[in-house]
Amino acid sequence: MKKKLILHFEFCILNCFGWRYALMPNKNSDELFHFQENQIQPLTPEELFRQITAEIDFYQQQISILQQQLAVVIGGSTNG
């Protein structure tokens, strides 16, 4: 069974047998899993779009939380 290529990857190298991928289960993982090119299936454009959009949304929420915390610390508002 082919694995879906996840967005978070460490590196890929080309050897005489094709591409070899070292993938992480998530971006905060210390684990690496190694696969040959024929063992993975790239994400579809729709899957990749959803994954990137979800990550953007997550970081926008984190920015908003940090802006609110900053406003409390400085006693003002950081609208923007």
Side-chain angles (χ1 to χ4, degrees):
M1 178 169 76
K2 287 190 174 187
K3 305 275 185 199
K4 280 286 188 182
L5 179 60
I6 57 177
L7 182 60
H8 309 290
F9 62 91
E10 183 67 21
F11 61 87
C12 56
I13 58 171
L14 180 62
N15 60 31
C16 56
F17 302 108
W19 286 98
R20 182 171 179 241
Y21 296 84
L23 303 176
M24 299 183 305
N26 64 63
K27 65 183 174 186
N28 298 317
S29 177
D30 290 333
E31 291 182 278
L32 282 179
F33 298 95
H34 298 275
F35 299 98
Q36 294 294 328
E37 185 174 20
N38 64 351
Q39 294 176 297
I40 61 171
Q41 177 183 346
L43 296 174
T44 66
E46 294 81 13
E47 291 169 321
L48 188 56
F49 178 83
R50 280 194 301 272
Q51 196 172 57
I52 291 171
T53 302
E55 194 155 349
I56 289 170
D57 291 343
F58 170 79
Y59 285 110
Q60 286 176 335
Q61 290 174 358
Q62 295 301 307
I63 289 168
S64 178
I65 290 167
L66 290 171
Q67 287 174 329
Q68 292 171 11
Q69 291 173 352
L70 180 61
V72 169
V73 169
I74 63 174
S77 176
T78 58
N79 293 332

